[in-house]
């Protein structure tokens, strides 16, 4: 995939977002970290301390439990929604183009919350998980990726 010079690359997973700028050439991207946002990750016991709900059937002595809410996933989804708002702003300010690389679940949440014109302006949406410290691996993946 060709990533023109000065294009932005946004890497997102459930708990962090990194914004890179291509300072290299289109065929050999060199990504430079511009900014990074992290979602402070609390333990599940700190987010929710309740026990799973129980049901009782009046005719039989059977008892059942309800599935416990996944508070970690809720926090990751909330963070992905915030990231979608930031992506809208970045895409509106950038003329060179933007590539979005995100973990598959985070990408799904982000897609739902992006504005329609933002989705159209993205050069590519790639469902892979990369973090902020993996600029070289991300650049290699971009050179091999076919859009």
């Amino acid at each position: 995939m060709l990533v023109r010079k000065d294009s932005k690359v946004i890497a997102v997973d459930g708990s962090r977002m990194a914004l890179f700028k291509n300072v290299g050439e289109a065929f050999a991207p060199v990504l430079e970290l511009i900014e990074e946002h992290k979602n402070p990750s609390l333990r599940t016991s700190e987010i929710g301390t309740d026990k799973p709900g129980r049901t009782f059937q009046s005719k039989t002595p059977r008892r059942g439990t309800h599935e416990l809410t996944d508070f970690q996933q809720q926090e990751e989804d909330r963070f992905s929604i915030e990231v979608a708002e930031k992506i809208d702003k970045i895409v509106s300010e950038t003329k060179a183009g933007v590539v979005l690389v995100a973990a598959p679940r985070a990408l799904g949440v982000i897609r739902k919350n992006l504005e329609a014109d933002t989705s159209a302006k993205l050069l590519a949406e790639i469902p892979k998980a990369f973090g902020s410290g993996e600029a070289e691996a991300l650049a290699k993946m971009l050179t091999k990726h076919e859009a």
Side-chain angles (χ1 to χ4, degrees):
M1 171 177 194
L2 294 176
V3 182
R4 291 183 294 164
K5 189 172 184 168
D6 296 329
S7 292
K8 304 281 193 304
V9 177
I10 302 171
V12 182
D13 68 6
S15 62
R16 61 190 169 190
M17 178 195 105
L19 176 63
F20 298 96
K21 180 180 179 181
N22 181 17
V23 294
E25 297 302 317
F27 291 105
V30 176
L31 301 178
E32 179 182 275
L33 183 65
I34 297 174
E35 64 181 87
E36 181 177 22
H37 298 279
K38 290 187 179 182
N39 186 21
S41 177
L42 297 174
R43 294 189 344 232
T44 301
S45 63
E46 294 171 343
I47 299 172
T49 58
D50 214 5
K51 294 180 181 177
R54 296 203 167 269
T55 59
F56 302 97
Q57 300 210 358
S58 60
K59 294 182 180 179
T60 64
R62 295 177 130 187
R63 296 179 183 207
T65 60
H66 297 284
E67 189 173 332
L68 189 61
T69 304
D70 188 352
F71 294 112
Q72 292 290 346
Q73 191 59 56
Q74 283 183 346
E75 275 297 303
E76 288 181 8
D77 291 347
R78 183 194 57 73
F79 180 72
S80 295
I81 292 169
E82 289 176 9
V83 166
E85 294 170 2
K86 290 177 185 173
I87 291 171
D88 287 332
K89 184 179 177 193
I90 291 167
V91 169
S92 68
E93 296 171 351
T94 303
K95 293 183 170 94
V98 176
V99 176
L100 175 60
V101 180
R105 177 159 175 103
L107 183 59
V109 174
I110 290 169
R111 278 181 182 152
K112 285 183 203 172
N113 293 286
L114 284 178
E115 294 178 6
D117 59 326
T118 300
S119 295
K121 289 179 183 178
L122 288 175
L123 298 175
E125 293 177 357
I126 303 171
K128 287 202 180 251
F130 281 96
S132 59
E134 303 176 26
E136 290 178 25
L138 182 57
K140 270 187 198 175
M141 188 275 303
L142 288 173
T143 59
K144 295 177 183 176
H145 183 75
E146 294 182 21

